[in-house]
Each structure stands twice: as C-alpha cells, then as structure tokens.
Amino acid sequence: MTPNAPLADGFAHHITRWAKRAGASEPAVALAEAAARLVSAATAEGHVCAHVDALPSPWQAMPPDELHTALMATGVVADDASAEPAPLFADDNGRVYLWRYHDYERRLAAALHALAQPFALGDADIARLRAQLDQLFPTDPQRSEPDRQKLAAALALQGGLTVISGGPGTGKTHTVVGLLATLLTLQPNTRVALAAPTGKAAARMMETLRRRTADLPDAIRERLPTEAWTIHRLLGVTSEAGRFRHHRDNPLPIDALVVDEASMLDLALATRLVEAMPAGARLILLGDKDQLAAVEAGAVFAELSAGLGFSDRRAAELADLAGCTANALHDIASGVAPLPDSVVWLTESRRFRADSGIGRLAADINAGRGAEALAWMQAAADESVRWINDAGEAPGAASLAAVLAGYAPYFEALLGPDGHDPAALMRALDRFRVLCAVQAGPRGVVAINDFVAQRVRRLTTPASSSPWYRGRAVMILRNDYALRVFNGDIGLCVPGPDGELAVAFPDSDGAWRLLTPSRLPEHADAFAMTVHKSQGSEFERVHLLLPGSAAAVMTRELAYTAVTRAASAVEISGNGEVFISACAQPTRRRSGLGRQLMQGVH
C-alpha cells in the first residue's frame, strides 16, 4: 500500500456513497469509485488531473465518447455542459479532475489572459522608454542575437504580464532592476511590491536587489520597496483556511508586482495571486522552468514558460525598444507558446560559463545525458565538480568525510573569536550545505542532520543533554506571523545577552532577532535539507547525497535544482545508476492549463 492509499480509499468511499445517493447503477457506482481513487492518487503526487487511460479494466478499453457518457452517468462527474458542479470534472480530452482543481485552472487561465494585455503607448512614451532602456541596457555591437535582458524589460514595460525564465546567474535580478528603474523614472508614483513563495526566498530577493541597486540614482532607489513579502503575507492571511484579504473583489493596492522563485507556485496559490492583481497593473514572474515544481499540485511556471514566441505586431513593437529586428525575435522563438508575447528565456549565465564544471553538469542533466555526465565526473576533469562512488545503503566513509570537510569552516567559526556572532556563523554555515533527495532513511535529511549535529554538540556543549546547544542550526517548518518566522527560515542557536541560549534569525534590515527556543513553531535541524527546501537558496559549495535506489522522487529536475544551488563547487555521492536514472526521468505533471491558455479562455 502506498502512503497515499488511505487518503485515496477514503475519498473513493465518500464518492461511492454520493453516487449511490444520486441513483447511479451498480456499474456506474464502480466507475465512480475507480475514478475517485485515480484522481485522488494523482493530485497527491502533484498532478492537477488524471487521464482516463489510467483507469482499470474494463473502462480503459472503452471508446472515449462512450467512457465520457459513462462517467456522466455516475452522478458525481460534471463537464462543460453541466448546469451544476460535481465532486469530479471530466473534459473532452480524457482528463478527470477534482472539481476545485478544474475551477482553479479555468480561473487562472482567464485571469492570465485578462492581465496579459498590452498597454496603449503613444509615440512619445515609446521614445522615452527606448532612451531609458538604451541607458540601462547599452547596445553591444558584438551581440549576434537580441539582448534578452533588455527584451524582458521592454516586454514588462509594454504589457501587464511578463514571465522571465532563466537559470542561475542569467541576470533575472539585473533585468528587474533595469525595468523597475525605467518604470519609476517614467512613472514615479508607481506602487511596486516584491514577493516570493517562502520567507527565505523573499529575504534573498531583497538582499540581492539591495546589492544591485546601489548604483542607481537616489531618487529611484528611494522609491523601491524596502521589504519583500511572502505571497501569503502579501495576500493577507485570515483565520479562515485558504482565504485571503485580497482577491478579485478586493485587489492588491499596487501597480506592479515582482514574484521571484515563481517555479514554486502551485496551482491554487497562483490562481489566488493572479486574481488579486488590479486591472492595469503589471505582474512579473521570475523563475527557472527547469527547476523543481511546487510541492502541491501543479507546475504553473513551467507550463507558462514552456514555449517562447511573438506575434508579428508585438515583435515589431518590441524590436523597436530592444534595438533588434522583428525577424531576430522570431528567430529565438521555441516550442508552442501558451502565452505568446509574454515570455522571455534568459539563456546566458554570468555565474558560470556553459563550459565550466557546474555549467556543463547542469546542461548535461537537463539534456538527459546522465551516462556522459557520470563518466566526465568520474574522470575528475574539473576541480569544481566531484563524484564520490558510494552505492551502499548508508553513506560510506568517503561521503561522511566529505560532509565533515564541507562544514569545517563552520566548525572553525564556532571555535573562533566570532563563535557567538550569528552573522559570522551564518556566513560560515552558508558556505556549504548537504542536500538530500529524501527525508528518511540512512541517506536522508534526518540521518545526516543527526550526524552533523553530534559533531557540533561535541565541539560546543559536550556535557549538555538538552536539544538546544550553541551552533545548532534550525529550519522553520510552519509560518508564525506573530513571531515573523516563516517556512524555510533558518536560525542559529547562540547565547543571548543574558547568557541564555536563544535562536537568532536575520531581519530584512540586517539586524538579528533573538527568540526563545520554546516559542518556535515546528522546526527541524538545518545542516542538511531536502532539495525542495533548498529552492531560493545559494551556497558556495553543495554536497548532493543520492538515495540508495532510483526512487520516484529522484528526477532530472531534482538533480538540476541541487547542482545549481552551488555557486562555485558541487560534489555528488551515490550510486552511478541512480544518477543516470534521475537524468533520464523528467517530471511530467498532468494538467490542462496550457490547453486552457491556448484556447483563449475569457
């Protein structure tokens, strides 16, 4: 029995009773039960919907039209022709949804289309825009294709929706700084907000933006936001689960919103966010389409940025602003674009070259070249990438030694003159991180955290049996708005002014807040974390510990996300076959959002 089986069974039992009350025949009740179990299991795995092809016999062999008719006869399935909603929804392409997920998908597509309208700009506006963009994104005569950063800025200034996808170091923040500087120069009273799905990602966004805006004129810098919000805080959490203060009938009081790490947006949250945008506002979504999708159902950002293309009219307008030709914009088009005229891919990494160790490894993983990447790592051809052959059920001596060596700067900092200074300790801690694919088991987060924690405890407080000791690193697992700590925030246990241990968390202004350990919401050690939890973070070096076998969680996106958390070096320890299998297994989340968008839902 899978971990999600009890939930699927419970939902199927509920739907079975519903179908019986609706007067369905015995075969129809059996179909309702099978469909309910299928959809429940699919959503638990992150899919928005299931497909009827996955139904068991005899329904799997039925002609599509006949099967759709049979589903409608259950009394628990609705379709586009239904007058009333039902627990399940079936579309005309064989997809079966929980009703609420189909409703989210339809609403999100409609809200995106409403937002993605071009603004009417006069000749004088275009001329001012062009001059400002030329100043912030100077023309490079050596460039053979359009400057994609300048193109993304032009796109965001011309329309209400811009989706900017790029890997680490491709200049997403530089692009945002340029477009916001242009916007605030031309429209000084623009109300700008910054947000991200997690507190950690929001804090990193603000920190990066602060560094990149240091050279802007004071008049522009003073108009920029001084805080980045989590999306939940921005929308306004209420006491009612799933309800926010801001929604389509009470939109956000803003003119422009920039959302970082948008690949972490699930379908439900994305719908509520886009619906809360006021008419005439700009929404800029930043992310990496090749990263892991949200933990909850949906892969919204990957679907929105799946294709790149421009209409003839928009290409001509953008070419004028971006300093290129319309044909050059058509030349960079790729795939089928669910959102034409709204998407830009940034492809040139400034953090590491494509032929650098991390750049090459990331590209090989993305292309599914697992065997080639493994052979290259085993040859030790690049000192920034290290492979440790470790196929055991538990991590071997070489892997554990590498983990301790990675944390050596942190151990030294704990014993040095700044061993009580949370800022110095956090800088040392963030030089290295262990990332795991799984939570449990000898190669999981819990085991590695215990291993590192024992070493830290021996260094700082060997005589104490308390769970709290100097140098303990913890990650918050549940938002606490009163304490201003959020899921993903990391704090360090240090002595407070009174000598008592407290947990220090960084504030947006660079200061540190000390909280009593007993007041913290749900938390866990943070020396190792899952790759999912690492999204929105960057470390100098990363150690990826592969699971002992090719688990379903070990996918191409997970390997890529882990590798690209590293700024200068990465090491991977595990079984080579597990690595190769992961590179060959891209995530495929079932959804109908792309189709809804291309149908032009209104």
Side-chain angles (χ1 to χ4, degrees):
M1 181 179 287
T2 65
N4 297 317
L7 183 63
D9 288 344
F11 181 67
H13 180 64
H14 173 70
I15 293 300
T16 299
R17 287 186 296 164
W18 192 315
K20 287 178 179 177
R21 287 198 302 269
S25 65
E26 192 171 325
V29 169
L31 175 56
E33 180 182 5
R37 183 173 283 106
L38 177 67
V39 173
S40 179
T43 54
E45 292 173 3
H47 302 290
V48 174
C49 57
H51 198 276
V52 293
D53 287 350
L55 284 168
S57 297
W59 304 290
Q60 197 178 66
M62 291 175 70
D65 289 348
E66 192 176 323
L67 179 54
H68 187 87
T69 301
L71 284 167
M72 301 308 297
T74 63
V76 295
V77 181
D79 64 8
D80 284 325
S82 301
E84 297 291 334
L88 303 178
F89 181 92
D91 71 8
D92 55 6
N93 282 81
R95 298 183 188 90
V96 186
Y97 298 78
L98 294 176
W99 172 269
R100 70 176 180 276
Y101 282 119
H102 173 261
D103 187 50
Y104 283 143
E105 201 172 80
R106 178 188 55 78
R107 286 162 47 193
L108 177 58
L112 288 167
H113 275 292
L115 198 59
Q117 301 305 310
F119 298 132
L121 301 176
D123 291 342
D125 294 326
I126 294 290
R128 293 173 67 207
L129 265 180
R130 187 191 308 116
Q132 192 70 20
L133 288 171
D134 287 345
Q135 181 181 339
L136 290 164
F137 300 92
T139 301
D140 180 0
Q142 305 299 317
R143 183 177 291 278
S144 59
E145 71 163 35
D147 181 341
R148 295 190 185 217
Q149 292 185 359
K150 189 174 186 179
L151 172 62
L155 198 63
L157 293 162
Q158 270 205 325
L161 175 66
T162 307
V163 180
I164 303 173
S165 175
T170 52
K172 295 189 291 292
T173 303
H174 176 72
T175 303
V176 166
V177 168
L179 75 87
L180 289 181
T182 302
L183 182 61
L184 290 169
T185 299
L186 303 177
Q187 300 175 19
N189 295 323
T190 300
R191 299 167 298 173
V192 178
L194 308 174
T198 67
K200 177 73 172 177
R204 183 162 173 256
M205 180 190 195
M206 195 67 243
E207 178 187 338
T208 306
L209 199 69
R210 229 182 246 118
R211 288 199 308 265
R212 300 292 175 85
T213 56
D215 297 331
L216 291 178
D218 290 346
I220 298 298
R221 206 166 57 248
E222 288 166 2
R223 296 188 191 111
L224 289 168
T226 57
E227 181 180 10
W229 302 68
T230 64
I231 293 172
H232 285 81
R233 282 184 66 211
L234 180 76
L235 292 176
V237 175
T238 68
S239 58
E240 205 173 339
R243 298 281 183 179
F244 296 100
R245 286 196 301 274
H246 294 290
H247 42 76
R248 58 186 161 193
D249 296 323
N250 181 34
L252 292 161
I254 58 174
D255 302 307
L257 172 62
V258 180
V259 178
D260 200 11
E261 298 293 344
S263 61
M264 299 167 71
L265 282 172
D266 61 78
L267 177 63
L269 188 58
T271 302
R272 291 183 170 111
L273 177 68
V274 178
E275 286 188 333
M277 291 295 295
R282 289 174 171 87
L283 175 62
I284 298 110
L285 300 176
L286 308 174
D288 184 346
K289 63 183 176 60
D290 298 317
Q291 268 192 206
L292 282 166
V295 175
E296 303 296 332
V300 172
F301 188 83
E303 288 185 272
L304 300 186
S305 52
L308 170 65
F310 302 98
S311 64
D312 289 342
R313 178 177 177 179
R314 200 69 183 280
E317 294 170 346
L318 287 169
D320 186 35
L321 287 174
C324 62
T325 66
N327 284 340
L329 294 183
H330 290 312
D331 286 344
I332 67 171
S334 179
V336 178
L339 280 173
D341 300 336
S342 296
V343 177
V344 175
W345 297 346
L346 304 182
T347 55
E348 183 181 344
S349 177
R350 280 124 173 116
R351 183 184 300 175
F352 36 74
R353 304 182 319 276
D355 61 350
S356 71
I358 298 174
R360 173 173 173 170
L361 179 57
D364 281 349
I365 290 170
N366 250 346
R369 296 189 292 264
E372 294 91 328
L374 179 63
W376 174 72
M377 286 191 291
Q378 289 174 329
D382 192 302
E383 63 181 13
S384 68
V385 175
R386 180 188 179 200
W387 170 260
I388 301 172
N389 191 48
D390 182 8
E393 182 180 339
S399 296
L400 296 177
V403 168
L404 293 180
Y407 280 119
Y410 184 63
F411 300 154
E412 292 168 11
L414 284 168
L415 298 178
D418 294 327
H420 292 200
D421 177 9
L425 292 176
M426 189 65 82
R427 285 194 297 272
L429 180 69
D430 280 348
R431 290 179 62 183
F432 177 79
R433 198 57 47 93
V434 180
L435 304 182
C436 302
V438 294
Q439 188 77 23
R443 303 179 74 92
V445 167
V446 175
I448 299 303
N449 269 323
D450 286 347
F451 172 69
V452 179
Q454 288 173 21
R455 175 59 61 97
V456 174
R457 185 191 289 275
R458 284 201 299 270
L459 290 173
T460 61
T461 46
S464 172
S465 60
S466 167
W468 294 101
Y469 52 90
R470 185 169 68 84
R472 183 184 180 191
V474 295
M475 176 186 286
I476 298 299
L477 302 179
R478 180 173 51 80
N479 295 340
D480 189 315
Y481 293 91
L483 292 178
R484 291 187 292 127
V485 291
F486 306 99
N487 186 9
D489 286 357
I490 291 179
L492 293 175
C493 189
V494 293
D498 59 359
E500 295 295 318
L501 288 177
V503 185
F505 291 90
D507 257 337
S508 57
D509 60 0
W512 289 78
R513 285 182 299 117
L514 298 179
L515 299 177
T516 304
S518 61
R519 296 184 65 198
L520 293 185
E522 185 182 357
H523 56 272
D525 284 349
F527 300 112
M529 62 177 69
T530 62
V531 179
H532 272 98
K533 286 289 187 183
S534 75
Q535 287 180 274
S537 300
E538 177 186 317
F539 309 102
E540 188 176 319
R541 296 175 55 218
V542 158
H543 182 111
L544 172 60
L545 183 64
L546 300 179
S549 59
V553 70
M554 196 64 221
T555 63
R556 181 182 300 173
E557 289 78 8
L558 185 137
Y560 170 84
T561 301
V563 164
T564 55
R565 297 310 89 206
S568 61
V570 63
E571 54 195 20
I572 304 177
S573 60
N575 184 327
E577 292 303 316
V578 172
F579 176 79
I580 292 171
S581 172
C583 294
Q585 185 174 316
T587 301
R588 298 269 189 257
R589 286 204 170 174
R590 289 184 290 277
S591 163
L593 180 60
R595 178 172 173 268
Q596 293 263 24
L597 288 167
M598 286 187 282
Q599 283 181 327
V601 176
H602 296 286

